[in-house]
Amino acid sequence: MTTADLLALVEDLNRRDEIDGILVQLPVPAQVDSKRVLMAVDPAKDVDGFHPMNVGFLSTQRPGLVPCTPAGVMEMLRRSNIPIAGQDAVVVGRSDIVGKPMAMLLMNANATVTVCHSKTRDLPGVCRRADILVAAIGRTGMVTRDFVKPGATVIDVGMNKITDRAEFERFFRGNEKREQAFAKNGSTLIGDVHPEVAEVAGALTPVPGGVGPLTIAMLMANTVRAAKLRRAAAVPVG
Amino acid sequence: MTTADLLALVEDLNRRDEIDGILVQLPVPAQVDSKRVLMAVDPAKDVDGFHPMNVGFLSTQRPGLVPCTPAGVMEMLRRSNIPIAGQDAVVVGRSDIVGKPMAMLLMNANATVTVCHSKTRDLPGVCRRADILVAAIGRTGMVTRDFVKPGATVIDVGMNKITDRAEFERFFRGNEKREQAFAKNGSTLIGDVHPEVAEVAGALTPVPGGVGPLTIAMLMANTVRAAKLRRAAAVPVG
């Protein structure tokens, strides 16, 4: 598999009218230029929402395709009747896949948004201001109780695997269900949020079973949306 | 002048190799579909940096063209040796032209960035956290002393015209130079920042003569950059 092979495949999929969504599942083999392949995907079929054109559409509030994970978080907030407009939202992590589009969606929904990252001073202090706190850092249980204002909504986008017994005990000692699963599988999944946060948060998404399934659902939603947008664009204008 | 006329002109300019930069000076006549015209500009010649593709390039840190006003602010911060990484930056205003790209540039430079807007609760309080405060709201002298942490760097992007004598006196009473100019011209320019902020800020950009001239300089810089990027892209890749 070469870059040229993948480009040819993407171009074929771009051309075919019966294809509505294209997703390049990363990582691609090391010899493939992933950026070139991703850029080759027709923005109108880019159901991941990662193409710069869709990033620009999101920022400028034009119709386009929005990355699945942050779109799923918005869906979750809305369906749970969590107020967004006028709320203080803090997003920890500034990835292209989650942090930045998440911040943009929250801002477009009239939250006052702060984006934190590895260079942020007093991360717990900044996070404690949040009415809505989104953790998307990829660090096992890093968001502890002291990061969370009592009653805040905490969204845990992290998905980290624990295989070490001592680490397991640090987070899940006394949790029977987790103990059984860990004994059986030799591992368990944990987010970026420490389980102790459940004691202070007003609402907290579980890991696994929280943001993850929604991401997949939004991929389907994006595919339907892509189909509709393409049909709408295909209608001759006058 | 119709939308079709302007589209034809833009397409001609896109095609001509000796043209490196295209800028659609807004507002266009009411009957023209400005969004369609703006979208028609080749992103590689879009020296305003407003095309969604360039917005996406900025967000994903790919090489592209960056809107002039926020690019000028970054240039000013760097040349004045204002630290950015790890600093708390607050941007007031979330326009596509200034607020959003400004936030993105500051975030890319490792500041912890908060974007405020009309729905923000306790705007003075949020602004007071800022080491770097960027005001881009278009409201005459709205940012008063109580918005500013002593020693903070304050960037005034606003450009508002005062013609009313009482309003003039509220901001500039006792300022001889302004008095003379106002008496002569019947108007004066003021930013979004109240002049009293000079007493608390560590650094403050003047209006006029601060961000404005830099915006124009960056338009020239963008044109040179566009030329270089196009030449680089034209080099055959093996």
Side-chain angles (χ1 to χ4, degrees), chain A residues 177-225:
Chain A
K177 256 177 93 176
R178 289 277 190 172
E179 286 281 3
Q180 285 169 10
F182 191 75
K184 189 176 154 210
N185 307 320
S187 70
T188 193
L189 286 176
I190 181 172
D192 294 342
V193 177
H194 195 294
E196 71 182 17
V197 165
E199 294 159 31
V200 285
L204 169 64
T205 64
V207 174
V211 172
L214 261 172
T215 295
I216 299 167
M218 296 316 288
L219 184 60
M220 294 301 102
N222 265 356
T223 307
V224 174
R225 183 169 165 74

mmCIF file of all heavy atoms in Angstrom, chain A residues 177-225:
data_model
loop_
_atom_site.group_PDB
_atom_site.id
_atom_site.type_symbol
_atom_site.label_atom_id
_atom_site.label_comp_id
_atom_site.label_asym_id
_atom_site.label_seq_id
_atom_site.Cartn_x
_atom_site.Cartn_y
_atom_site.Cartn_z
ATOM 1 N N LYS A 177 -17.556 -4.560 40.647
ATOM 2 C CA LYS A 177 -17.739 -4.838 39.220
ATOM 3 C C LYS A 177 -16.413 -4.714 38.466
ATOM 4 O O LYS A 177 -16.074 -5.541 37.616
ATOM 5 C CB LYS A 177 -18.761 -3.872 38.605
ATOM 6 C CG LYS A 177 -20.120 -4.512 38.368
ATOM 7 C CD LYS A 177 -21.128 -3.523 37.841
ATOM 8 C CE LYS A 177 -21.207 -3.489 36.330
ATOM 9 N NZ LYS A 177 -22.280 -2.576 35.863
ATOM 10 N N ARG A 178 -15.686 -3.640 38.787
ATOM 11 C CA ARG A 178 -14.394 -3.412 38.127
ATOM 12 C C ARG A 178 -13.410 -4.527 38.508
ATOM 13 O O ARG A 178 -12.650 -5.000 37.674
ATOM 14 C CB ARG A 178 -13.819 -2.060 38.546
ATOM 15 C CG ARG A 178 -14.557 -0.881 37.974
ATOM 16 C CD ARG A 178 -14.082 -0.559 36.553
ATOM 17 N NE ARG A 178 -14.633 0.713 36.117
ATOM 18 C CZ ARG A 178 -14.278 1.338 35.002
ATOM 19 N NH1 ARG A 178 -13.373 0.804 34.193
ATOM 20 N NH2 ARG A 178 -14.826 2.483 34.671
ATOM 21 N N GLU A 179 -13.431 -4.921 39.785
ATOM 22 C CA GLU A 179 -12.530 -5.984 40.259
ATOM 23 C C GLU A 179 -12.743 -7.255 39.435
ATOM 24 O O GLU A 179 -11.803 -7.881 38.954
ATOM 25 C CB GLU A 179 -12.806 -6.303 41.743
ATOM 26 C CG GLU A 179 -12.303 -5.254 42.729
ATOM 27 C CD GLU A 179 -10.800 -5.367 42.995
ATOM 28 O OE1 GLU A 179 -10.116 -6.211 42.376
ATOM 29 O OE2 GLU A 179 -10.315 -4.562 43.812
ATOM 30 N N GLN A 180 -14.007 -7.613 39.277
ATOM 31 C CA GLN A 180 -14.329 -8.836 38.522
ATOM 32 C C GLN A 180 -13.842 -8.735 37.091
ATOM 33 O O GLN A 180 -13.224 -9.662 36.558
ATOM 34 C CB GLN A 180 -15.837 -9.086 38.545
ATOM 35 C CG GLN A 180 -16.332 -9.621 39.880
ATOM 36 C CD GLN A 180 -17.854 -9.611 39.978
ATOM 37 O OE1 GLN A 180 -18.540 -9.382 38.984
ATOM 38 N NE2 GLN A 180 -18.380 -9.856 41.171
ATOM 39 N N ALA A 181 -14.115 -7.596 36.467
ATOM 40 C CA ALA A 181 -13.733 -7.409 35.067
ATOM 41 C C ALA A 181 -12.207 -7.439 34.927
ATOM 42 O O ALA A 181 -11.669 -8.065 33.996
ATOM 43 C CB ALA A 181 -14.286 -6.094 34.532
ATOM 44 N N PHE A 182 -11.526 -6.782 35.862
ATOM 45 C CA PHE A 182 -10.062 -6.731 35.794
ATOM 46 C C PHE A 182 -9.476 -8.120 35.992
ATOM 47 O O PHE A 182 -8.538 -8.530 35.287
ATOM 48 C CB PHE A 182 -9.518 -5.767 36.856
ATOM 49 C CG PHE A 182 -8.056 -5.446 36.696
ATOM 50 C CD1 PHE A 182 -7.621 -4.580 35.697
ATOM 51 C CD2 PHE A 182 -7.104 -6.025 37.533
ATOM 52 C CE1 PHE A 182 -6.272 -4.290 35.546
ATOM 53 C CE2 PHE A 182 -5.753 -5.740 37.379
ATOM 54 C CZ PHE A 182 -5.331 -4.873 36.384
ATOM 55 N N ALA A 183 -10.041 -8.872 36.940
ATOM 56 C CA ALA A 183 -9.573 -10.241 37.193
ATOM 57 C C ALA A 183 -9.755 -11.092 35.937
ATOM 58 O O ALA A 183 -8.890 -11.892 35.570
ATOM 59 C CB ALA A 183 -10.345 -10.840 38.363
ATOM 60 N N LYS A 184 -10.856 -10.874 35.269
ATOM 61 C CA LYS A 184 -11.176 -11.685 34.084
ATOM 62 C C LYS A 184 -10.333 -11.278 32.864
ATOM 63 O O LYS A 184 -9.754 -12.122 32.182
ATOM 64 C CB LYS A 184 -12.672 -11.498 33.753
ATOM 65 C CG LYS A 184 -13.188 -12.435 32.674
ATOM 66 C CD LYS A 184 -14.696 -12.277 32.466
ATOM 67 C CE LYS A 184 -15.089 -12.681 31.065
ATOM 68 N NZ LYS A 184 -16.254 -11.966 30.566
ATOM 69 N N ASN A 185 -10.244 -9.969 32.610
ATOM 70 C CA ASN A 185 -9.602 -9.492 31.367
ATOM 71 C C ASN A 185 -8.146 -9.065 31.544
ATOM 72 O O ASN A 185 -7.445 -8.874 30.560
ATOM 73 C CB ASN A 185 -10.361 -8.280 30.808
ATOM 74 C CG ASN A 185 -11.840 -8.567 30.644
ATOM 75 O OD1 ASN A 185 -12.221 -9.652 30.220
ATOM 76 N ND2 ASN A 185 -12.680 -7.610 31.004
ATOM 77 N N GLY A 186 -7.753 -8.839 32.769
ATOM 78 C CA GLY A 186 -6.386 -8.344 33.001
ATOM 79 C C GLY A 186 -6.223 -6.872 32.651
ATOM 80 O O GLY A 186 -5.116 -6.346 32.620
ATOM 81 N N SER A 187 -7.333 -6.207 32.366
ATOM 82 C CA SER A 187 -7.260 -4.770 32.070
ATOM 83 C C SER A 187 -8.625 -4.140 32.286
ATOM 84 O O SER A 187 -9.642 -4.843 32.386
ATOM 85 C CB SER A 187 -6.816 -4.536 30.619
ATOM 86 O OG SER A 187 -7.853 -4.919 29.731
ATOM 87 N N THR A 188 -8.625 -2.819 32.366
ATOM 88 C CA THR A 188 -9.898 -2.103 32.409
ATOM 89 C C THR A 188 -9.699 -0.743 31.759
ATOM 90 O O THR A 188 -8.573 -0.261 31.641
ATOM 91 C CB THR A 188 -10.437 -1.972 33.852
ATOM 92 O OG1 THR A 188 -11.800 -1.536 33.808
ATOM 93 C CG2 THR A 188 -9.626 -0.962 34.659
ATOM 94 N N LEU A 189 -10.781 -0.151 31.342
ATOM 95 C CA LEU A 189 -10.708 1.173 30.712
ATOM 96 C C LEU A 189 -11.023 2.253 31.737
ATOM 97 O O LEU A 189 -11.917 2.092 32.569
ATOM 98 C CB LEU A 189 -11.699 1.265 29.546
ATOM 99 C CG LEU A 189 -11.311 0.512 28.279
ATOM 100 C CD1 LEU A 189 -12.440 0.611 27.254
ATOM 101 C CD2 LEU A 189 -10.015 1.066 27.684
ATOM 102 N N ILE A 190 -10.288 3.341 31.629
ATOM 103 C CA ILE A 190 -10.537 4.487 32.504
ATOM 104 C C ILE A 190 -10.380 5.752 31.664
ATOM 105 O O ILE A 190 -9.616 5.765 30.688
ATOM 106 C CB ILE A 190 -9.567 4.486 33.708
ATOM 107 C CG1 ILE A 190 -9.850 5.680 34.648
ATOM 108 C CG2 ILE A 190 -8.107 4.497 33.256
ATOM 109 C CD1 ILE A 190 -9.054 5.639 35.955
ATOM 110 N N GLY A 191 -11.106 6.784 32.037
ATOM 111 C CA GLY A 191 -11.011 8.034 31.293
ATOM 112 C C GLY A 191 -9.904 8.931 31.819
ATOM 113 O O GLY A 191 -8.973 8.480 32.493
ATOM 114 N N ASP A 192 -10.030 10.224 31.492
ATOM 115 C CA ASP A 192 -9.096 11.221 32.009
ATOM 116 C C ASP A 192 -9.542 11.728 33.374
ATOM 117 O O ASP A 192 -8.848 12.512 34.013
ATOM 118 C CB ASP A 192 -9.023 12.419 31.044
ATOM 119 C CG ASP A 192 -8.407 12.032 29.714
ATOM 120 O OD1 ASP A 192 -7.747 10.982 29.647
ATOM 121 O OD2 ASP A 192 -8.593 12.794 28.737
ATOM 122 N N VAL A 193 -10.739 11.281 33.784
ATOM 123 C CA VAL A 193 -11.326 11.784 35.026
ATOM 124 C C VAL A 193 -11.222 10.706 36.102
ATOM 125 O O VAL A 193 -11.590 9.546 35.875
ATOM 126 C CB VAL A 193 -12.801 12.184 34.790
ATOM 127 C CG1 VAL A 193 -13.448 12.641 36.092
ATOM 128 C CG2 VAL A 193 -12.888 13.294 33.730
ATOM 129 N N HIS A 194 -10.747 11.090 37.253
ATOM 130 C CA HIS A 194 -10.632 10.183 38.398
ATOM 131 C C HIS A 194 -12.039 9.820 38.881
ATOM 132 O O HIS A 194 -12.901 10.706 38.979
ATOM 133 C CB HIS A 194 -9.853 10.904 39.500
ATOM 134 C CG HIS A 194 -9.365 9.997 40.577
ATOM 135 N ND1 HIS A 194 -10.212 9.332 41.438
ATOM 136 C CD2 HIS A 194 -8.112 9.624 40.928
ATOM 137 C CE1 HIS A 194 -9.502 8.603 42.275
ATOM 138 N NE2 HIS A 194 -8.218 8.756 41.981
ATOM 139 N N PRO A 195 -12.264 8.530 39.242
ATOM 140 C CA PRO A 195 -13.607 8.141 39.696
ATOM 141 C C PRO A 195 -14.120 8.969 40.878
ATOM 142 O O PRO A 195 -15.340 9.145 41.012
ATOM 143 C CB PRO A 195 -13.426 6.667 40.089
ATOM 144 C CG PRO A 195 -12.244 6.187 39.299
ATOM 145 C CD PRO A 195 -11.359 7.373 39.095
ATOM 146 N N GLU A 196 -13.240 9.491 41.699
ATOM 147 C CA GLU A 196 -13.675 10.269 42.876
ATOM 148 C C GLU A 196 -14.465 11.518 42.478
ATOM 149 O O GLU A 196 -15.199 12.077 43.296
ATOM 150 C CB GLU A 196 -12.467 10.673 43.732
ATOM 151 C CG GLU A 196 -11.589 11.746 43.084
ATOM 152 C CD GLU A 196 -10.341 12.125 43.901
ATOM 153 O OE1 GLU A 196 -9.961 11.364 44.793
ATOM 154 O OE2 GLU A 196 -9.757 13.191 43.600
ATOM 155 N N VAL A 197 -14.326 11.942 41.213
ATOM 156 C CA VAL A 197 -15.035 13.143 40.746
ATOM 157 C C VAL A 197 -16.551 12.949 40.810
ATOM 158 O O VAL A 197 -17.312 13.907 40.956
ATOM 159 C CB VAL A 197 -14.555 13.534 39.319
ATOM 160 C CG1 VAL A 197 -15.487 14.530 38.662
ATOM 161 C CG2 VAL A 197 -13.139 14.092 39.382
ATOM 162 N N ALA A 198 -16.996 11.680 40.732
ATOM 163 C CA ALA A 198 -18.432 11.393 40.822
ATOM 164 C C ALA A 198 -19.031 11.979 42.103
ATOM 165 O O ALA A 198 -20.219 12.318 42.148
ATOM 166 C CB ALA A 198 -18.673 9.886 40.765
ATOM 167 N N GLU A 199 -18.205 12.122 43.148
ATOM 168 C CA GLU A 199 -18.713 12.612 44.437
ATOM 169 C C GLU A 199 -18.972 14.121 44.442
ATOM 170 O O GLU A 199 -19.687 14.616 45.296
ATOM 171 C CB GLU A 199 -17.712 12.259 45.552
ATOM 172 C CG GLU A 199 -17.598 10.749 45.759
ATOM 173 C CD GLU A 199 -16.286 10.360 46.447
ATOM 174 O OE1 GLU A 199 -15.777 11.172 47.250
ATOM 175 O OE2 GLU A 199 -15.778 9.261 46.151
ATOM 176 N N VAL A 200 -18.362 14.854 43.512
ATOM 177 C CA VAL A 200 -18.575 16.312 43.485
ATOM 178 C C VAL A 200 -19.324 16.809 42.244
ATOM 179 O O VAL A 200 -20.025 17.818 42.303
ATOM 180 C CB VAL A 200 -17.243 17.103 43.596
ATOM 181 C CG1 VAL A 200 -16.719 17.058 45.019
ATOM 182 C CG2 VAL A 200 -16.207 16.607 42.617
ATOM 183 N N ALA A 201 -19.171 16.110 41.119
ATOM 184 C CA ALA A 201 -19.786 16.580 39.868
ATOM 185 C C ALA A 201 -21.307 16.520 39.962
ATOM 186 O O ALA A 201 -21.863 15.662 40.656
ATOM 187 C CB ALA A 201 -19.302 15.725 38.700
ATOM 188 N N GLY A 202 -21.967 17.435 39.255
ATOM 189 C CA GLY A 202 -23.414 17.369 39.130
ATOM 190 C C GLY A 202 -23.817 16.274 38.164
ATOM 191 O O GLY A 202 -24.847 15.611 38.320
ATOM 192 N N ALA A 203 -22.990 16.062 37.153
ATOM 193 C CA ALA A 203 -23.203 14.998 36.162
ATOM 194 C C ALA A 203 -21.843 14.611 35.618
ATOM 195 O O ALA A 203 -20.956 15.465 35.493
ATOM 196 C CB ALA A 203 -24.117 15.490 35.039
ATOM 197 N N LEU A 204 -21.673 13.337 35.331
ATOM 198 C CA LEU A 204 -20.370 12.833 34.885
ATOM 199 C C LEU A 204 -20.599 11.702 33.895
ATOM 200 O O LEU A 204 -21.392 10.798 34.164
ATOM 201 C CB LEU A 204 -19.576 12.329 36.100
ATOM 202 C CG LEU A 204 -18.296 11.527 35.854
ATOM 203 C CD1 LEU A 204 -17.240 12.389 35.158
ATOM 204 C CD2 LEU A 204 -17.745 10.983 37.181
ATOM 205 N N THR A 205 -19.909 11.754 32.758
ATOM 206 C CA THR A 205 -20.081 10.670 31.774
ATOM 207 C C THR A 205 -19.190 9.498 32.174
ATOM 208 O O THR A 205 -18.047 9.683 32.585
ATOM 209 C CB THR A 205 -19.688 11.128 30.358
ATOM 210 O OG1 THR A 205 -18.293 11.439 30.325
ATOM 211 C CG2 THR A 205 -20.486 12.340 29.930
ATOM 212 N N PRO A 206 -19.707 8.266 32.058
ATOM 213 C CA PRO A 206 -18.903 7.090 32.413
ATOM 214 C C PRO A 206 -17.904 6.739 31.311
ATOM 215 O O PRO A 206 -18.073 7.127 30.164
ATOM 216 C CB PRO A 206 -19.954 5.986 32.532
ATOM 217 C CG PRO A 206 -21.040 6.402 31.588
ATOM 218 C CD PRO A 206 -21.058 7.915 31.604
ATOM 219 N N VAL A 207 -16.859 6.032 31.701
ATOM 220 C CA VAL A 207 -15.924 5.422 30.742
ATOM 221 C C VAL A 207 -15.710 3.988 31.190
ATOM 222 O O VAL A 207 -15.317 3.767 32.334
ATOM 223 C CB VAL A 207 -14.572 6.161 30.724
ATOM 224 C CG1 VAL A 207 -13.569 5.415 29.819
ATOM 225 C CG2 VAL A 207 -14.737 7.589 30.230
ATOM 226 N N PRO A 208 -15.983 2.980 30.366
ATOM 227 C CA PRO A 208 -16.559 3.116 29.021
ATOM 228 C C PRO A 208 -18.066 3.355 29.062
ATOM 229 O O PRO A 208 -18.656 3.356 30.121
ATOM 230 C CB PRO A 208 -16.236 1.746 28.415
ATOM 231 C CG PRO A 208 -16.225 0.802 29.578
ATOM 232 C CD PRO A 208 -15.688 1.599 30.748
ATOM 233 N N GLY A 209 -18.641 3.602 27.875
ATOM 234 C CA GLY A 209 -20.091 3.694 27.766
ATOM 235 C C GLY A 209 -20.633 5.104 27.781
ATOM 236 O O GLY A 209 -21.852 5.305 27.812
ATOM 237 N N GLY A 210 -19.760 6.106 27.785
ATOM 238 C CA GLY A 210 -20.236 7.489 27.786
ATOM 239 C C GLY A 210 -20.092 8.108 26.411
ATOM 240 O O GLY A 210 -20.934 7.913 25.527
ATOM 241 N N VAL A 211 -18.997 8.821 26.235
ATOM 242 C CA VAL A 211 -18.778 9.536 24.984
ATOM 243 C C VAL A 211 -18.531 8.582 23.809
ATOM 244 O O VAL A 211 -18.952 8.855 22.685
ATOM 245 C CB VAL A 211 -17.578 10.513 25.150
ATOM 246 C CG1 VAL A 211 -17.183 11.140 23.824
ATOM 247 C CG2 VAL A 211 -17.922 11.597 26.177
ATOM 248 N N GLY A 212 -17.884 7.449 24.083
ATOM 249 C CA GLY A 212 -17.503 6.519 23.014
ATOM 250 C C GLY A 212 -18.640 6.100 22.093
ATOM 251 O O GLY A 212 -18.566 6.329 20.872
ATOM 252 N N PRO A 213 -19.714 5.523 22.640
ATOM 253 C CA PRO A 213 -20.816 5.088 21.768
ATOM 254 C C PRO A 213 -21.428 6.251 20.984
ATOM 255 O O PRO A 213 -21.865 6.076 19.844
ATOM 256 C CB PRO A 213 -21.833 4.506 22.756
ATOM 257 C CG PRO A 213 -21.049 4.172 23.980
ATOM 258 C CD PRO A 213 -19.901 5.126 24.036
ATOM 259 N N LEU A 214 -21.437 7.434 21.599
ATOM 260 C CA LEU A 214 -21.996 8.596 20.912
ATOM 261 C C LEU A 214 -21.153 8.983 19.705
ATOM 262 O O LEU A 214 -21.676 9.434 18.683
ATOM 263 C CB LEU A 214 -22.080 9.779 21.871
ATOM 264 C CG LEU A 214 -23.455 9.982 22.454
ATOM 265 C CD1 LEU A 214 -23.421 11.031 23.540
ATOM 266 C CD2 LEU A 214 -24.432 10.383 21.359
ATOM 267 N N THR A 215 -19.845 8.828 19.835
ATOM 268 C CA THR A 215 -18.957 9.142 18.717
ATOM 269 C C THR A 215 -19.346 8.298 17.503
ATOM 270 O O THR A 215 -19.448 8.805 16.382
ATOM 271 C CB THR A 215 -17.491 8.870 19.112
ATOM 272 O OG1 THR A 215 -17.135 9.772 20.163
ATOM 273 C CG2 THR A 215 -16.548 9.075 17.939
ATOM 274 N N ILE A 216 -19.601 7.026 17.760
ATOM 275 C CA ILE A 216 -19.964 6.126 16.662
ATOM 276 C C ILE A 216 -21.339 6.514 16.095
ATOM 277 O O ILE A 216 -21.539 6.559 14.880
ATOM 278 C CB ILE A 216 -19.944 4.663 17.150
ATOM 279 C CG1 ILE A 216 -18.516 4.317 17.609
ATOM 280 C CG2 ILE A 216 -20.421 3.714 16.061
ATOM 281 C CD1 ILE A 216 -18.421 3.029 18.390
ATOM 282 N N ALA A 217 -22.260 6.850 16.996
ATOM 283 C CA ALA A 217 -23.591 7.256 16.533
ATOM 284 C C ALA A 217 -23.489 8.512 15.664
ATOM 285 O O ALA A 217 -24.174 8.632 14.635
ATOM 286 C CB ALA A 217 -24.499 7.514 17.730
ATOM 287 N N MET A 218 -22.614 9.442 16.055
ATOM 288 C CA MET A 218 -22.499 10.679 15.292
ATOM 289 C C MET A 218 -21.868 10.438 13.926
ATOM 290 O O MET A 218 -22.120 11.175 12.974
ATOM 291 C CB MET A 218 -21.703 11.735 16.065
ATOM 292 C CG MET A 218 -22.350 12.205 17.355
ATOM 293 S SD MET A 218 -24.128 12.559 17.268
ATOM 294 C CE MET A 218 -24.107 14.068 16.316
ATOM 295 N N LEU A 219 -21.056 9.407 13.828
ATOM 296 C CA LEU A 219 -20.486 9.058 12.527
ATOM 297 C C LEU A 219 -21.618 8.661 11.566
ATOM 298 O O LEU A 219 -21.619 9.046 10.393
ATOM 299 C CB LEU A 219 -19.485 7.917 12.703
ATOM 300 C CG LEU A 219 -18.719 7.496 11.466
ATOM 301 C CD1 LEU A 219 -17.897 8.641 10.915
ATOM 302 C CD2 LEU A 219 -17.818 6.304 11.801
ATOM 303 N N MET A 220 -22.574 7.930 12.095
ATOM 304 C CA MET A 220 -23.744 7.579 11.277
ATOM 305 C C MET A 220 -24.554 8.829 10.948
ATOM 306 O O MET A 220 -24.975 9.040 9.811
ATOM 307 C CB MET A 220 -24.631 6.572 12.034
ATOM 308 C CG MET A 220 -24.006 5.211 12.258
ATOM 309 S SD MET A 220 -23.554 4.381 10.697
ATOM 310 C CE MET A 220 -21.787 4.663 10.669
ATOM 311 N N ALA A 221 -24.759 9.666 11.960
ATOM 312 C CA ALA A 221 -25.514 10.907 11.747
ATOM 313 C C ALA A 221 -24.820 11.770 10.686
ATOM 314 O O ALA A 221 -25.478 12.351 9.816
ATOM 315 C CB ALA A 221 -25.646 11.675 13.065
ATOM 316 N N ASN A 222 -23.481 11.839 10.742
ATOM 317 C CA ASN A 222 -22.732 12.624 9.765
ATOM 318 C C ASN A 222 -22.897 12.063 8.354
ATOM 319 O O ASN A 222 -22.929 12.816 7.384
ATOM 320 C CB ASN A 222 -21.241 12.637 10.122
ATOM 321 C CG ASN A 222 -20.860 13.869 10.931
ATOM 322 O OD1 ASN A 222 -21.691 14.749 11.172
ATOM 323 N ND2 ASN A 222 -19.607 13.932 11.352
ATOM 324 N N THR A 223 -22.981 10.750 8.264
ATOM 325 C CA THR A 223 -23.122 10.134 6.941
ATOM 326 C C THR A 223 -24.476 10.514 6.329
ATOM 327 O O THR A 223 -24.561 10.865 5.143
ATOM 328 C CB THR A 223 -22.961 8.607 7.047
ATOM 329 O OG1 THR A 223 -21.727 8.328 7.723
ATOM 330 C CG2 THR A 223 -22.930 7.958 5.674
ATOM 331 N N VAL A 224 -25.503 10.479 7.161
ATOM 332 C CA VAL A 224 -26.834 10.900 6.684
ATOM 333 C C VAL A 224 -26.805 12.389 6.321
ATOM 334 O O VAL A 224 -27.304 12.808 5.269
ATOM 335 C CB VAL A 224 -27.901 10.621 7.767
ATOM 336 C CG1 VAL A 224 -29.259 11.188 7.352
ATOM 337 C CG2 VAL A 224 -28.006 9.124 8.038
ATOM 338 N N ARG A 225 -26.159 13.159 7.180
ATOM 339 C CA ARG A 225 -26.060 14.602 6.921
ATOM 340 C C ARG A 225 -25.306 14.873 5.615
ATOM 341 O O ARG A 225 -25.711 15.728 4.825
ATOM 342 C CB ARG A 225 -25.333 15.268 8.097
ATOM 343 C CG ARG A 225 -25.225 16.772 7.983
ATOM 344 C CD ARG A 225 -24.734 17.398 9.296
ATOM 345 N NE ARG A 225 -24.307 18.771 9.080
ATOM 346 C CZ ARG A 225 -25.140 19.792 8.871
ATOM 347 N NH1 ARG A 225 -26.435 19.579 8.879
ATOM 348 N NH2 ARG A 225 -24.677 21.008 8.655
#
